[in-house]
Amino acid sequence: APPIAPMAARRGTDEMRDRVGLGEFGVRNVHTTDFPGNYPGYEDAWDQRRFEETFRVDVIREEEDTLEFDMVGIDAAIANAFRRILLAEVPTMAVEKVFVYNNTSIVQDEILAHRLGLIPIRADPRLFEYRNQGDQEGTEIDTLQFQLKIKCKRNPQAAKESSDPDELYFNHKVYSKHMTWVPLGNQTDLFPDADFRPVHDDILIALLRPGQEIDVLMHCVKGIGKDHAKFSPVATASYRLLPDITLLQPIEDEAAETLQKCFSPGVIEVQNINGKKVARVANARLDTFSREVFRHEGLKNLVRLARVRNHYIFSVESTGILPPDVLVSEAIKILMGKCQRFLNELDSVPME
């Protein structure tokens, strides 16, 4: 067989190094490549200077509770570390102990306690300490106290023939807005302009009927998602690799329109050039890679689907306790702390 031209071989190696290929029946080149000797002729050893030159973070979309940003130039292990720290290691405040003084509703005490635990509390966890193991009583530095005291009554003014519970009863729906903060110790002085409350006012906790009441006291403590999902600060944190779509030859007329339908809206654009319809890739980022194109015999060999190996599109959706950009910077601080602890341990271990 004739030897492959060096340029073509290099191009093929480049593609293996920085693209994950999506074929009809599988995914190619998924292994990590940033260690030396992986590909002959490439200096793949990790280099701090090169990393600093190539690494970047681009914020794509920032809304009240959602953040989409790109992290370019890192390895999957680091990207995954950020995702897992966001899910399980950034602390928040949540209801941990529920003292039930009276509960005559049909919601059992433990179900009620569980529901209260999952309500996100708007309180900056950085203002509090972790509560010591075995402490029964909370103090002002590690506990927030909330009270929920509500009783359902009939509405004497309701129309006789009415069957609408909203008209017939007062307080028949118990919402998170009925939780009130009860300052502990000197918390009123510690947090003069604090507004500790549930993130959302309209979370339904229980339904009552006349004569039923709920009277509970709650202790919120600081914790992490590793211990219980209620402490997780994000509704979801995920990443995907940037899609990369290449048309290997011009695709025209009917084929162009079929190709457009194979991808998510906005990915393929059909242009009119000299009376001919010609397809081009407008925005590969929007694609979800359904691989629909592989079902079309005439098209599947004209398109190359890949993902950029070191370009991560993160999406972080906060529960509203802290803004997502703060969560990401807290996650970075936690990862830095882990690295520092590891280095300290290496220093303290006597070398053999």
Side-chain angles (χ1 to χ4, degrees), residues 101-225:
Y101 293 103
N102 196 359
N103 172 22
T104 52
S105 73
I106 60 163
V107 182
Q108 298 97 324
D109 295 357
E110 51 271 47
I111 305 291
L112 180 65
H114 181 255
R115 290 178 72 78
L116 293 168
L118 292 172
I119 294 171
I121 304 293
R122 179 165 286 158
D124 191 331
R126 294 168 296 182
L127 302 173
F128 297 90
E129 302 292 328
Y130 287 102
R131 194 197 269 201
N132 291 328
Q133 216 93 44
D135 277 8
Q136 286 306 307
E137 292 297 309
T139 63
E140 61 267 12
I141 58 162
D142 60 27
T143 306
L144 271 181
Q145 191 168 258
F146 284 87
Q147 187 180 38
L148 174 62
K149 192 172 185 173
I150 190 163
K151 186 170 185 174
C152 178
K153 294 190 176 82
R154 284 188 190 281
N155 177 7
Q157 263 81 53
K160 283 267 190 306
E161 63 283 353
S162 169
S163 62
D164 178 10
D166 289 337
E167 240 181 86
L168 289 171
Y169 317 121
F170 291 131
N171 288 340
H172 78 107
K173 285 183 174 172
V174 183
Y175 285 114
S176 49
K177 68 179 173 202
H178 295 125
M179 290 168 59
T180 52
W181 173 45
V182 181
L184 268 175
N186 63 349
Q187 280 182 340
T188 13
D189 308 331
L190 278 176
F191 313 112
D193 17 329
D195 181 19
F196 298 129
R197 58 190 174 83
V199 171
H200 304 286
D201 285 339
D202 57 349
I203 299 173
L204 186 65
I205 298 170
L207 291 175
L208 303 179
R209 283 296 175 263
Q212 296 183 349
E213 63 177 299
I214 289 176
D215 179 5
V216 297
L217 203 60
M218 292 160 267
H219 280 183
C220 294
V221 302
K222 183 172 172 173
I224 56 175

Side-chain angles (χ1 to χ4, degrees), residues 26-61:
V27 186
R28 298 185 310 279
N29 314 329
V30 291
H31 61 291
T32 201
T33 60
D34 60 351
F35 48 89
N38 206 335
Y39 296 108
Y42 285 91
E43 190 53 63
D44 274 328
W46 197 82
D47 176 60
Q48 175 137 356
R49 188 182 54 79
R50 190 171 66 228
F51 169 75
E52 285 174 10
E53 282 169 8
T54 56
F55 179 70
R56 66 173 207 272
V57 174
D58 306 327
V59 175
I60 304 298
R61 186 168 55 92

